[in-house]
Amino acid sequence: MFSKKDTMTLDILKTTLPVTLPLEKTGQYYNPYDHNIPRMVTETTPFVYDNYCRISKNNDVSALLRLKGALIIPVTSTVHSHHTFVVIFYSPKLTPIELKGLTSLHQEDIQFIGNSLFDEWYNGQGREFNIFFSRSIFCPRSLQVAQSFADGFTTKETAKKLCVTESGVQYHLDHLRKILGARNRSHMLVELMRKKVIQ
């Protein structure tokens, strides 16, 4: 659920559908030399994942991260244009060569299936999903401060409204700027709105 501007690393998310892997800025499972990650954002057609993810010590997670030979299906921009999504299929019974052959023979059908699965997820629980909230990336108090500024309140008014000091307000703003890599307060607010974290 990230746009092409965001830093991308691989993390895991469980849904009611087969395993969904959003691109997330944690670095926990991501191999920085893995060229498949930028491909997930830039490719427009299905491709076979040809590298290994870093394996976690947690056996349950490790089982989900055996991605060499997985089929990556980018969700087309006609289905969802605001963010980049991929659907990932993994079958231990198929070799990467067999999977590449099937992909080249049935590319349109595979793309249709990927888009359909994404539609089913998005129109169910996906519409309300926000990875930033699911991973608790932002402190709730920091978001209250940011929302107050987005609503037009000053530092002094925000401090009074939220019962914190003015230096506390500044601390929360600095914290958000660092997480987002924002250049200034305006840039930070734009990024939070773009990510649909504040309104």
Side-chain angles (χ1 to χ4, degrees), residues 61-75:
V61 175
S62 299
L64 298 175
L65 291 173
R66 294 174 190 150
L67 288 183
K68 186 173 174 69
L71 178 61
I72 311 297
I73 307 170
V75 175

Side-chain angles (χ1 to χ4, degrees), residues 39-50:
R39 283 181 76 191
M40 286 186 189
V41 176
T42 57
E43 286 279 345
T44 56
T45 57
F47 67 94
V48 177
Y49 194 104
D50 59 5

